[in-house]
mmCIF file of all heavy atoms in Angstrom:
data_model
loop_
_atom_site.group_PDB
_atom_site.id
_atom_site.type_symbol
_atom_site.label_atom_id
_atom_site.label_comp_id
_atom_site.label_asym_id
_atom_site.label_seq_id
_atom_site.Cartn_x
_atom_site.Cartn_y
_atom_site.Cartn_z
ATOM 1 N N LYS A 21 0.866 -1.169 0.001
ATOM 2 C CA LYS A 21 0.004 -0.005 -0.001
ATOM 3 C C LYS A 21 0.908 1.227 -0.002
ATOM 4 O O LYS A 21 1.804 1.333 0.819
ATOM 5 C CB LYS A 21 -0.896 -0.023 1.236
ATOM 6 C CG LYS A 21 -1.870 1.128 1.275
ATOM 7 C CD LYS A 21 -2.851 0.966 2.395
ATOM 8 C CE LYS A 21 -3.802 2.137 2.396
ATOM 9 N NZ LYS A 21 -5.162 1.719 2.321
ATOM 10 N N GLU A 22 0.672 2.131 -0.920
ATOM 11 C CA GLU A 22 1.468 3.346 -1.017
ATOM 12 C C GLU A 22 1.195 4.251 0.179
ATOM 13 O O GLU A 22 0.051 4.495 0.522
ATOM 14 C CB GLU A 22 1.125 4.097 -2.321
ATOM 15 C CG GLU A 22 1.476 3.346 -3.568
ATOM 16 C CD GLU A 22 2.961 3.172 -3.770
ATOM 17 O OE1 GLU A 22 3.708 4.112 -3.433
ATOM 18 O OE2 GLU A 22 3.377 2.114 -4.252
ATOM 19 N N THR A 23 2.262 4.724 0.795
ATOM 20 C CA THR A 23 2.161 5.663 1.904
ATOM 21 C C THR A 23 3.017 6.897 1.624
ATOM 22 O O THR A 23 3.677 7.408 2.515
ATOM 23 C CB THR A 23 2.588 5.005 3.215
ATOM 24 O OG1 THR A 23 3.960 4.600 3.079
ATOM 25 C CG2 THR A 23 1.748 3.833 3.567
ATOM 26 N N PHE A 24 2.972 7.367 0.403
ATOM 27 C CA PHE A 24 3.849 8.460 -0.025
ATOM 28 C C PHE A 24 3.519 9.770 0.675
ATOM 29 O O PHE A 24 4.350 10.674 0.682
ATOM 30 C CB PHE A 24 3.837 8.619 -1.550
ATOM 31 C CG PHE A 24 2.525 9.092 -2.091
ATOM 32 C CD1 PHE A 24 2.279 10.435 -2.250
ATOM 33 C CD2 PHE A 24 1.561 8.160 -2.465
ATOM 34 C CE1 PHE A 24 1.076 10.864 -2.755
ATOM 35 C CE2 PHE A 24 0.358 8.586 -2.974
ATOM 36 C CZ PHE A 24 0.099 9.929 -3.131
ATOM 37 N N TRP A 25 2.336 9.874 1.284
ATOM 38 C CA TRP A 25 2.006 11.129 1.976
ATOM 39 C C TRP A 25 2.928 11.365 3.157
ATOM 40 O O TRP A 25 3.220 12.501 3.506
ATOM 41 C CB TRP A 25 0.553 11.138 2.440
ATOM 42 C CG TRP A 25 -0.399 11.297 1.283
ATOM 43 C CD1 TRP A 25 -1.254 10.371 0.788
ATOM 44 C CD2 TRP A 25 -0.549 12.455 0.445
ATOM 45 N NE1 TRP A 25 -1.930 10.867 -0.291
ATOM 46 C CE2 TRP A 25 -1.498 12.152 -0.510
ATOM 47 C CE3 TRP A 25 0.065 13.707 0.423
ATOM 48 C CZ2 TRP A 25 -1.891 13.069 -1.490
ATOM 49 C CZ3 TRP A 25 -0.327 14.606 -0.532
ATOM 50 C CH2 TRP A 25 -1.282 14.291 -1.483
ATOM 51 N N ILE A 26 3.384 10.282 3.766
ATOM 52 C CA ILE A 26 4.343 10.434 4.860
ATOM 53 C C ILE A 26 5.637 11.065 4.345
ATOM 54 O O ILE A 26 6.185 11.979 4.953
ATOM 55 C CB ILE A 26 4.614 9.082 5.550
ATOM 56 C CG1 ILE A 26 3.339 8.516 6.166
ATOM 57 C CG2 ILE A 26 5.716 9.210 6.604
ATOM 58 C CD1 ILE A 26 3.503 7.091 6.689
ATOM 59 N N SER A 27 6.094 10.551 3.211
ATOM 60 C CA SER A 27 7.336 11.084 2.658
ATOM 61 C C SER A 27 7.177 12.515 2.159
ATOM 62 O O SER A 27 8.079 13.347 2.282
ATOM 63 C CB SER A 27 7.864 10.180 1.531
ATOM 64 O OG SER A 27 6.921 10.072 0.506
ATOM 65 N N VAL A 28 6.011 12.835 1.587
ATOM 66 C CA VAL A 28 5.753 14.203 1.148
ATOM 67 C C VAL A 28 5.794 15.175 2.325
ATOM 68 O O VAL A 28 6.411 16.236 2.268
ATOM 69 C CB VAL A 28 4.398 14.278 0.396
ATOM 70 C CG1 VAL A 28 3.957 15.717 0.192
ATOM 71 C CG2 VAL A 28 4.453 13.541 -0.918
ATOM 72 N N LEU A 29 5.121 14.806 3.419
ATOM 73 C CA LEU A 29 5.126 15.649 4.609
ATOM 74 C C LEU A 29 6.511 15.765 5.229
ATOM 75 O O LEU A 29 6.892 16.828 5.714
ATOM 76 C CB LEU A 29 4.118 15.136 5.639
ATOM 77 C CG LEU A 29 2.638 15.302 5.268
ATOM 78 C CD1 LEU A 29 1.761 14.603 6.294
ATOM 79 C CD2 LEU A 29 2.284 16.764 5.137
ATOM 80 N N ALA A 30 7.291 14.684 5.202
ATOM 81 C CA ALA A 30 8.643 14.716 5.754
ATOM 82 C C ALA A 30 9.548 15.637 4.920
ATOM 83 O O ALA A 30 10.311 16.438 5.474
ATOM 84 C CB ALA A 30 9.250 13.319 5.799
ATOM 85 N N ILE A 31 9.434 15.561 3.607
ATOM 86 C CA ILE A 31 10.240 16.435 2.743
ATOM 87 C C ILE A 31 9.807 17.891 2.910
ATOM 88 O O ILE A 31 10.637 18.789 2.970
ATOM 89 C CB ILE A 31 10.150 15.965 1.281
ATOM 90 C CG1 ILE A 31 10.862 14.618 1.115
ATOM 91 C CG2 ILE A 31 10.722 16.989 0.333
ATOM 92 C CD1 ILE A 31 10.603 13.943 -0.209
ATOM 93 N N LEU A 32 8.498 18.102 3.022
ATOM 94 C CA LEU A 32 8.000 19.473 3.238
ATOM 95 C C LEU A 32 8.498 20.025 4.576
ATOM 96 O O LEU A 32 8.919 21.205 4.628
ATOM 97 C CB LEU A 32 6.471 19.468 3.203
ATOM 98 C CG LEU A 32 5.795 20.818 3.389
ATOM 99 C CD1 LEU A 32 6.140 21.766 2.239
ATOM 100 C CD2 LEU A 32 4.302 20.637 3.490
ATOM 101 N N ALA A 33 8.489 19.225 5.619
ATOM 102 C CA ALA A 33 8.973 19.688 6.927
ATOM 103 C C ALA A 33 10.467 20.010 6.864
ATOM 104 O O ALA A 33 10.910 21.014 7.457
ATOM 105 C CB ALA A 33 8.701 18.635 7.988
ATOM 106 N N ALA A 34 11.237 19.206 6.181
ATOM 107 C CA ALA A 34 12.670 19.471 6.034
ATOM 108 C C ALA A 34 12.896 20.753 5.248
ATOM 109 O O ALA A 34 13.758 21.582 5.596
ATOM 110 C CB ALA A 34 13.369 18.295 5.364
ATOM 111 N N ALA A 35 12.122 20.966 4.188
ATOM 112 C CA ALA A 35 12.263 22.179 3.375
ATOM 113 C C ALA A 35 11.866 23.429 4.168
ATOM 114 O O ALA A 35 12.565 24.446 4.077
ATOM 115 C CB ALA A 35 11.407 22.045 2.118
ATOM 116 N N VAL A 36 10.817 23.330 4.953
ATOM 117 C CA VAL A 36 10.403 24.491 5.768
ATOM 118 C C VAL A 36 11.469 24.814 6.809
ATOM 119 O O VAL A 36 11.789 25.984 7.053
ATOM 120 C CB VAL A 36 9.031 24.224 6.424
ATOM 121 C CG1 VAL A 36 8.706 25.258 7.490
ATOM 122 C CG2 VAL A 36 7.934 24.217 5.377
ATOM 123 N N ALA A 37 12.053 23.789 7.414
ATOM 124 C CA ALA A 37 13.104 24.013 8.423
ATOM 125 C C ALA A 37 14.327 24.661 7.771
ATOM 126 O O ALA A 37 14.907 25.603 8.340
ATOM 127 C CB ALA A 37 13.489 22.708 9.092
ATOM 128 N N LEU A 38 14.723 24.195 6.616
ATOM 129 C CA LEU A 38 15.874 24.785 5.930
ATOM 130 C C LEU A 38 15.596 26.213 5.478
ATOM 131 O O LEU A 38 16.446 27.103 5.616
ATOM 132 C CB LEU A 38 16.308 23.938 4.731
ATOM 133 C CG LEU A 38 16.961 22.601 5.079
ATOM 134 C CD1 LEU A 38 17.210 21.791 3.818
ATOM 135 C CD2 LEU A 38 18.258 22.828 5.825
ATOM 136 N N PHE A 39 14.388 26.462 4.995
ATOM 137 C CA PHE A 39 14.011 27.813 4.602
ATOM 138 C C PHE A 39 13.995 28.753 5.798
ATOM 139 O O PHE A 39 14.410 29.906 5.710
ATOM 140 C CB PHE A 39 12.657 27.798 3.901
ATOM 141 C CG PHE A 39 12.184 29.132 3.444
ATOM 142 C CD1 PHE A 39 12.796 29.770 2.381
ATOM 143 C CD2 PHE A 39 11.119 29.766 4.075
ATOM 144 C CE1 PHE A 39 12.373 31.026 1.960
ATOM 145 C CE2 PHE A 39 10.683 31.005 3.683
ATOM 146 C CZ PHE A 39 11.309 31.641 2.610
ATOM 147 N N SER A 40 13.542 28.226 6.921
ATOM 148 C CA SER A 40 13.456 29.022 8.146
ATOM 149 C C SER A 40 14.843 29.447 8.653
ATOM 150 O O SER A 40 14.978 30.511 9.246
ATOM 151 C CB SER A 40 12.715 28.232 9.226
ATOM 152 O OG SER A 40 12.605 28.965 10.393
ATOM 153 N N ILE A 41 15.829 28.615 8.413
ATOM 154 C CA ILE A 41 17.192 28.970 8.830
ATOM 155 C C ILE A 41 17.633 30.271 8.167
ATOM 156 O O ILE A 41 18.249 31.141 8.787
ATOM 157 C CB ILE A 41 18.184 27.840 8.503
ATOM 158 C CG1 ILE A 41 17.939 26.628 9.385
ATOM 159 C CG2 ILE A 41 19.633 28.304 8.654
ATOM 160 C CD1 ILE A 41 18.750 25.404 9.014
ATOM 161 N N PHE A 42 17.299 30.427 6.891
ATOM 162 C CA PHE A 42 17.757 31.577 6.130
ATOM 163 C C PHE A 42 16.836 32.799 6.275
ATOM 164 O O PHE A 42 17.071 33.822 5.636
ATOM 165 C CB PHE A 42 17.949 31.204 4.665
ATOM 166 C CG PHE A 42 18.999 30.157 4.489
ATOM 167 C CD1 PHE A 42 18.655 28.842 4.230
ATOM 168 C CD2 PHE A 42 20.323 30.470 4.657
ATOM 169 C CE1 PHE A 42 19.627 27.866 4.100
ATOM 170 C CE2 PHE A 42 21.310 29.510 4.527
ATOM 171 C CZ PHE A 42 20.966 28.193 4.251
ATOM 172 N N GLN A 43 15.832 32.713 7.119
ATOM 173 C CA GLN A 43 14.968 33.847 7.403
ATOM 174 C C GLN A 43 15.352 34.503 8.731
ATOM 175 O O GLN A 43 14.517 35.056 9.423
ATOM 176 C CB GLN A 43 13.502 33.373 7.462
ATOM 177 C CG GLN A 43 12.984 32.822 6.177
ATOM 178 C CD GLN A 43 13.021 33.838 5.074
ATOM 179 O OE1 GLN A 43 12.549 34.974 5.232
ATOM 180 N NE2 GLN A 43 13.591 33.486 3.934
ATOM 181 N N TYR A 44 16.644 34.475 9.076
ATOM 182 C CA TYR A 44 17.111 34.948 10.368
ATOM 183 C C TYR A 44 16.918 36.444 10.576
ATOM 184 O O TYR A 44 16.915 36.919 11.697
ATOM 185 C CB TYR A 44 18.573 34.552 10.598
ATOM 186 C CG TYR A 44 19.524 35.070 9.576
ATOM 187 C CD1 TYR A 44 20.152 36.297 9.738
ATOM 188 C CD2 TYR A 44 19.816 34.323 8.440
ATOM 189 C CE1 TYR A 44 21.024 36.765 8.791
ATOM 190 C CE2 TYR A 44 20.682 34.783 7.496
ATOM 191 C CZ TYR A 44 21.286 36.004 7.660
ATOM 192 O OH TYR A 44 22.166 36.468 6.720
ATOM 193 N N LYS A 45 16.760 37.202 9.499
ATOM 194 C CA LYS A 45 16.572 38.645 9.648
ATOM 195 C C LYS A 45 15.117 38.985 10.016
ATOM 196 O O LYS A 45 14.857 40.075 10.511
ATOM 197 C CB LYS A 45 16.943 39.355 8.365
ATOM 198 C CG LYS A 45 18.439 39.340 8.107
ATOM 199 C CD LYS A 45 18.787 40.121 6.880
ATOM 200 C CE LYS A 45 20.287 40.046 6.656
ATOM 201 N NZ LYS A 45 20.707 40.776 5.451
ATOM 202 N N ASN A 46 14.217 38.071 9.770
ATOM 203 C CA ASN A 46 12.792 38.288 10.058
ATOM 204 C C ASN A 46 12.349 37.220 11.067
ATOM 205 O O ASN A 46 11.897 36.164 10.715
ATOM 206 C CB ASN A 46 11.968 38.193 8.764
ATOM 207 C CG ASN A 46 10.561 38.654 8.957
ATOM 208 O OD1 ASN A 46 10.066 38.792 10.069
ATOM 209 N ND2 ASN A 46 9.890 38.904 7.848
ATOM 210 N N ARG A 47 12.500 37.560 12.352
ATOM 211 C CA ARG A 47 12.217 36.585 13.409
ATOM 212 C C ARG A 47 10.734 36.224 13.479
ATOM 213 O O ARG A 47 10.406 35.108 13.810
ATOM 214 C CB ARG A 47 12.743 37.130 14.736
ATOM 215 C CG ARG A 47 14.249 37.053 14.850
ATOM 216 C CD ARG A 47 14.749 37.694 16.093
ATOM 217 N NE ARG A 47 14.366 39.114 16.200
ATOM 218 C CZ ARG A 47 14.993 40.096 15.558
ATOM 219 N NH1 ARG A 47 16.015 39.821 14.770
ATOM 220 N NH2 ARG A 47 14.608 41.341 15.703
ATOM 221 N N LEU A 48 9.849 37.162 13.189
ATOM 222 C CA LEU A 48 8.440 36.849 13.206
ATOM 223 C C LEU A 48 8.089 35.792 12.156
ATOM 224 O O LEU A 48 7.338 34.866 12.426
ATOM 225 C CB LEU A 48 7.606 38.118 12.965
ATOM 226 C CG LEU A 48 6.078 37.930 13.003
ATOM 227 C CD1 LEU A 48 5.648 37.419 14.349
ATOM 228 C CD2 LEU A 48 5.396 39.220 12.643
ATOM 229 N N ARG A 49 8.678 35.915 10.993
ATOM 230 C CA ARG A 49 8.454 34.925 9.943
ATOM 231 C C ARG A 49 9.027 33.573 10.371
ATOM 232 O O ARG A 49 8.440 32.516 10.107
ATOM 233 C CB ARG A 49 9.054 35.355 8.625
ATOM 234 C CG ARG A 49 8.784 34.316 7.538
ATOM 235 C CD ARG A 49 9.254 34.714 6.167
ATOM 236 N NE ARG A 49 8.454 35.840 5.714
ATOM 237 C CZ ARG A 49 8.966 36.824 4.954
ATOM 238 N NH1 ARG A 49 10.218 36.797 4.591
ATOM 239 N NH2 ARG A 49 8.187 37.804 4.569
ATOM 240 N N GLN A 50 10.184 33.590 11.047
ATOM 241 C CA GLN A 50 10.775 32.354 11.536
ATOM 242 C C GLN A 50 9.841 31.678 12.529
ATOM 243 O O GLN A 50 9.669 30.456 12.496
ATOM 244 C CB GLN A 50 12.119 32.611 12.204
ATOM 245 C CG GLN A 50 13.294 32.384 11.328
ATOM 246 C CD GLN A 50 14.591 32.428 12.114
ATOM 247 O OE1 GLN A 50 14.734 33.177 13.083
ATOM 248 N NE2 GLN A 50 15.534 31.621 11.695
ATOM 249 N N ILE A 51 9.216 32.438 13.408
ATOM 250 C CA ILE A 51 8.288 31.866 14.387
ATOM 251 C C ILE A 51 7.071 31.288 13.672
ATOM 252 O O ILE A 51 6.598 30.184 14.012
ATOM 253 C CB ILE A 51 7.886 32.932 15.411
ATOM 254 C CG1 ILE A 51 9.088 33.295 16.302
ATOM 255 C CG2 ILE A 51 6.728 32.462 16.280
ATOM 256 C CD1 ILE A 51 8.872 34.496 17.185
ATOM 257 N N GLN A 52 6.563 31.985 12.656
ATOM 258 C CA GLN A 52 5.422 31.494 11.908
ATOM 259 C C GLN A 52 5.787 30.211 11.156
ATOM 260 O O GLN A 52 4.992 29.250 11.110
ATOM 261 C CB GLN A 52 4.931 32.559 10.921
ATOM 262 C CG GLN A 52 4.295 33.742 11.584
ATOM 263 C CD GLN A 52 4.059 34.887 10.610
ATOM 264 O OE1 GLN A 52 4.613 34.917 9.527
ATOM 265 N NE2 GLN A 52 3.214 35.824 11.037
ATOM 266 N N LEU A 53 6.967 30.167 10.555
ATOM 267 C CA LEU A 53 7.402 28.955 9.864
ATOM 268 C C LEU A 53 7.593 27.799 10.837
ATOM 269 O O LEU A 53 7.304 26.651 10.504
ATOM 270 C CB LEU A 53 8.703 29.217 9.092
ATOM 271 C CG LEU A 53 8.569 30.076 7.842
ATOM 272 C CD1 LEU A 53 9.954 30.456 7.297
ATOM 273 C CD2 LEU A 53 7.760 29.377 6.790
ATOM 274 N N GLY A 54 8.052 28.105 12.040
ATOM 275 C CA GLY A 54 8.188 27.064 13.057
ATOM 276 C C GLY A 54 6.860 26.484 13.462
ATOM 277 O O GLY A 54 6.720 25.260 13.650
ATOM 278 N N ALA A 55 5.837 27.324 13.585
ATOM 279 C CA ALA A 55 4.490 26.855 13.907
ATOM 280 C C ALA A 55 3.929 26.006 12.773
ATOM 281 O O ALA A 55 3.336 24.945 13.000
ATOM 282 C CB ALA A 55 3.581 28.015 14.206
ATOM 283 N N LEU A 56 4.142 26.468 11.535
ATOM 284 C CA LEU A 56 3.711 25.695 10.369
ATOM 285 C C LEU A 56 4.407 24.343 10.328
ATOM 286 O O LEU A 56 3.797 23.317 10.073
ATOM 287 C CB LEU A 56 3.981 26.481 9.087
ATOM 288 C CG LEU A 56 3.739 25.714 7.774
ATOM 289 C CD1 LEU A 56 2.273 25.473 7.585
ATOM 290 C CD2 LEU A 56 4.355 26.462 6.616
ATOM 291 N N ASN A 57 5.705 24.359 10.617
ATOM 292 C CA ASN A 57 6.490 23.130 10.599
ATOM 293 C C ASN A 57 6.013 22.151 11.675
ATOM 294 O O ASN A 57 6.001 20.942 11.465
ATOM 295 C CB ASN A 57 7.967 23.410 10.751
ATOM 296 C CG ASN A 57 8.825 22.409 10.058
ATOM 297 O OD1 ASN A 57 8.331 21.557 9.306
ATOM 298 N ND2 ASN A 57 10.118 22.482 10.286
ATOM 299 N N SER A 58 5.615 22.664 12.828
ATOM 300 C CA SER A 58 5.067 21.788 13.878
ATOM 301 C C SER A 58 3.795 21.096 13.382
ATOM 302 O O SER A 58 3.591 19.900 13.644
ATOM 303 C CB SER A 58 4.765 22.578 15.143
ATOM 304 O OG SER A 58 5.932 23.018 15.730
ATOM 305 N N LEU A 59 2.952 21.841 12.678
ATOM 306 C CA LEU A 59 1.715 21.245 12.114
ATOM 307 C C LEU A 59 2.055 20.175 11.071
ATOM 308 O O LEU A 59 1.418 19.107 11.040
ATOM 309 C CB LEU A 59 0.839 22.323 11.517
ATOM 310 C CG LEU A 59 0.177 23.293 12.486
ATOM 311 C CD1 LEU A 59 -0.567 24.379 11.753
ATOM 312 C CD2 LEU A 59 -0.770 22.519 13.407
ATOM 313 N N VAL A 60 3.018 20.469 10.224
ATOM 314 C CA VAL A 60 3.390 19.502 9.173
ATOM 315 C C VAL A 60 3.963 18.219 9.808
ATOM 316 O O VAL A 60 3.598 17.103 9.413
ATOM 317 C CB VAL A 60 4.391 20.117 8.185
ATOM 318 C CG1 VAL A 60 4.957 19.088 7.237
ATOM 319 C CG2 VAL A 60 3.732 21.244 7.399
#
């Protein structure tokens, strides 16, 4: 049974975390991305 949604969410969470690292000048956006990443 295909369970590719797990891998899609895992890749999305990794991408959001990496993107959040480079948003260090905008801390509010980093906090929002962190909350989004927790949901993912």
Side-chain angles (χ1 to χ4, degrees):
K21 183 172 180 124
E22 296 292 323
T23 60
F24 67 91
W25 287 112
I26 297 172
S27 59
V28 168
L29 289 174
I31 292 169
L32 181 64
V36 168
L38 288 175
F39 181 70
S40 181
I41 290 172
F42 297 104
Q43 297 299 310
Y44 58 91
K45 290 184 181 179
N46 190 345
R47 285 174 301 281
L48 181 62
R49 181 175 293 145
Q50 263 189 326
I51 292 170
Q52 291 170 344
L53 288 171
L56 173 70
N57 210 9
S58 291
L59 290 174
V60 171

